[in-house]
């Protein structure tokens, strides 16, 4: 008896599959189908050591290669399922200080969940609020469930003093969005300085030299690092730093509105504004439109975080992706080899914040 197929689903499947090129399939063909660079394809298909790519990117490249019929000895080895190391027995703990108040935690958990399920493991999540009494109890509750590894996350990127109970655990511990000064645990954070530099450099590449920035709260490391990136990009382009063009905000839309009003009152107003998060950019948009200015014809705007709202603004906002999904996947990938708990020194891994170009940036008028 032959197997029946839903015609609609079969049509959709064929539409999504990349067209096979005539002749031998090349890495250029795969890169085009996967929507990435040829270098990325080479790293994935050759299983190059030391290259930090997200699991999503790897799977997208492999799927495109399979669909196109690519064949090579190194690629054949990638087709075989890779099992997690023997120390994992199916349950991984994930402790985060704040869960309900921030989308970043949910995104990181989803990244870890996807990578865990790929290896047949499940994730147990606990919110600790960083409470000195309840956090150890929450971790203890996870360990009693038989977790074989723990991911420890903070919602704000920062250096932490790891609580003593983390050092005493007899399972691997991975730090996500935080790190310790003694480098006792593998840690992953966003590359915020590079992200701020990339955002500013994008505006410079469009001819802007009078570039303002609206920061987050100055005590936060993310705000400090994004500002460092902004200043580095200006210095590299030989553009003098002007403190008038830096306005302190608090990550909110209302602060973005007030800061933009202040910038528009300058005698020599900016031609572009780097908002250090997307919510700030929402307020910036409102202030510019209220002043009768058009984005990007009169002033270009760049955001940061790539929240869902960024693609629905008018015009859609150029912004940077916070790599929390990739960070969650990275944390799981570290468990593919045994990690001695609390021993040795581990480098801090910084994942890039890719720039997503949309329609909020244009070359400076007259440039």
């Amino acid at each position: 008896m032959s197997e029946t197929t839903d015609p609609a689903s079969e049509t959709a499947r064929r539409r999504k599959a990349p067209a096979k090129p005539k002749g031998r399939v090349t890495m250029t063909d795969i890169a085009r189908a996967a929507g990435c660079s040829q270098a990325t394809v080479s790293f994935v298909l050759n299983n190059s050591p030391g290259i930090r790519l997200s699991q999503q990117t790897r799977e997208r490249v492999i799927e495109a290669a399979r669909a196109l019929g690519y064949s090579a000895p190194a690629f054949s080895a990638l087709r075989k399922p890779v099992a997690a190391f023997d120390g994992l027995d199916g349950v991984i703990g994930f402790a985060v200080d704040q869960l309900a108040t921030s989308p970043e935690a949910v995104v990181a958990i989803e990244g870890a969940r996807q990578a865990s399920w790929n290896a047949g493991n499940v994730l147990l999540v606990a919110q600790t609020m960083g409470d000195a009494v309840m956090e150890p109890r929450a971790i203890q509750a996870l360990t009693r469930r038989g977790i074989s590894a723990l991911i420890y996350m903070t919602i704000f990127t920062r250096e932490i003093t790891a609580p003593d109970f983390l050092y005493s655990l007899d399972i691997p511990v991975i730090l996500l969005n935080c790190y310790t000064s003694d480098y006792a645990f593998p840690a992953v954070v966003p590359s915020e300085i590079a992200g701020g530099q990339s955002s500013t450099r994008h505006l410079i590449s469009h001819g802007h030299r009078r570039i303002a920035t609206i920061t987050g709260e100055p005590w936060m490391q993310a705000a400090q690092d994004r500002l460092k990136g902004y200043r580095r990009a200006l210095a590299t382009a030989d553009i003098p730093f002007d403190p008038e063009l830096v306005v302190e905000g608090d990550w909110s839309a209302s602060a973005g509105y007030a800061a933009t009003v202040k910038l528009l009152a300058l005698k020599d107003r900016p031609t572009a504004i780097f908002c250090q998060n997307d919510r700030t950019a929402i307020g910036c948009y409102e202030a510019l439109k209220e002043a009768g200015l058009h984005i990007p014809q009169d002033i270009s705007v760049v955001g940061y975080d790539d929240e869902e709202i960024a693609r629905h603004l008018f015009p859609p906002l150029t912004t940077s992706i916070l790599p929390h999904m990739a960070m969650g996947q990275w944390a799981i990938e570290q468990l593919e080899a045994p990690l001695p708990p609390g021993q040795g020194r581990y480098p801090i891994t910084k994942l890039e914040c890719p720039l997503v170009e949309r329609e909020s940036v244009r070359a400076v008028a007259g440039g």
Side-chain angles (χ1 to χ4, degrees):
M1 183 175 179
S2 62
E3 183 178 332
T4 59
T5 304
D6 179 1
S9 61
E10 179 67 8
T11 300
R13 185 190 66 79
R14 288 176 177 172
R15 187 183 297 122
K16 292 178 182 178
K20 291 187 179 182
K22 296 179 180 179
R24 186 173 64 87
V25 177
T26 67
M27 289 190 181
T28 302
D29 298 324
I30 298 170
R32 188 180 301 111
C36 63
S37 68
Q38 185 176 337
T40 297
V41 172
S42 177
F43 291 146
V44 173
L45 299 187
N46 292 308
N47 206 18
S48 302
I51 304 299
R52 296 295 186 192
L53 296 173
S54 72
Q55 187 63 26
Q56 282 181 319
T57 299
R58 291 181 184 276
E59 290 177 355
R60 193 168 73 247
V61 170
I62 291 172
E63 183 59 34
R66 287 174 178 165
L68 293 172
Y70 180 76
S71 179
F75 176 59
S76 299
L78 291 178
R79 295 170 179 262
K80 301 173 183 177
V82 179
F85 81 94
D86 293 340
L88 287 181
D89 60 4
V91 183
I92 301 169
F94 194 117
V96 58
D97 54 358
Q98 294 181 46
L99 176 58
T101 58
S102 172
E104 287 83 4
V106 176
V107 172
I109 290 169
E110 175 60 12
R113 196 276 308 164
Q114 289 180 7
S116 297
W117 283 20
N118 289 342
N121 301 298
V122 298
L123 217 61
L124 290 183
V125 180
Q127 179 176 247
T128 69
M129 302 304 295
D131 186 275
V133 174
M134 296 306 295
E135 184 174 81
R137 293 185 62 184
I139 303 297
Q140 188 178 50
L142 290 174
T143 56
R144 284 176 178 170
R145 298 297 186 276
I147 61 172
S148 53
L150 175 69
I151 300 171
Y152 184 90
M153 177 181 181
T154 60
I155 204 61
F156 297 128
T157 308
R158 66 183 188 274
E159 179 183 318
I160 63 168
T161 300
D164 292 340
F165 63 80
L166 284 188
Y167 291 93
S168 64
L169 293 176
D170 59 356
I171 56 175
V173 175
I174 308 290
L175 302 184
L176 197 158
N177 211 39
C178 57
Y179 57 94
T180 59
S181 60
D182 60 3
Y183 305 99
F185 308 98
V188 61
V189 298
S191 185
E192 300 279 24
I193 295 178
Q197 191 168 2
S198 175
S199 299
T200 309
R201 190 167 54 232
H202 181 66
L203 293 168
I204 294 171
S205 71
H206 283 75
H208 295 277
R209 294 183 63 83
R210 188 80 176 152
I211 302 170
T213 187
I214 305 173
T215 72
E217 294 167 287
W219 59 269
M220 293 182 63
Q221 184 172 325
Q224 296 168 9
D225 286 351
R226 291 172 194 179
L227 182 59
K228 286 179 184 176
Y230 163 82
R231 296 193 64 163
R232 285 187 184 181
L234 294 180
T236 302
D238 292 327
I239 299 174
F241 173 72
D242 184 350
E244 262 195 339
L245 293 176
V246 179
V247 182
E248 183 182 314
D250 62 7
W251 308 115
S252 70
S254 58
Y257 177 91
T260 304
V261 170
K262 184 176 181 180
L263 289 168
L264 293 180
L266 294 174
K267 183 177 180 181
D268 185 9
R269 75 184 187 197
T271 63
I273 301 176
F274 167 30
C275 299
Q276 293 193 13
N277 79 335
D278 293 343
R279 296 179 193 182
T280 297
I282 293 172
C284 176
Y285 266 49
E286 290 303 310
L288 292 175
K289 291 176 181 178
E290 189 176 277
L293 298 173
H294 297 88
I295 306 167
Q297 292 90 334
D298 298 315
I299 292 187
S300 292
V301 180
V302 169
Y304 206 102
D305 290 355
D306 195 33
E307 291 194 36
E308 178 67 22
I309 187 65
R311 68 204 67 183
H312 300 297
L313 293 175
F314 183 78
L317 178 66
T318 293
T319 185
S320 295
I321 298 173
L322 267 182
H324 284 80
M325 176 77 74
M327 288 160 62
Q329 294 170 337
W330 180 94
I332 298 298
E333 289 167 4
Q334 304 317 295
L335 302 176
E336 293 177 356
L339 297 170
Q343 299 176 14
R345 289 172 63 86
Y346 300 92
I348 300 171
T349 297
K350 296 185 177 183
L351 297 188
E352 68 171 336
C353 303
L355 187 72
V356 181
E357 297 183 30
R358 297 194 177 103
E359 286 96 67
S360 64
V361 174
R362 176 179 288 188
V364 63

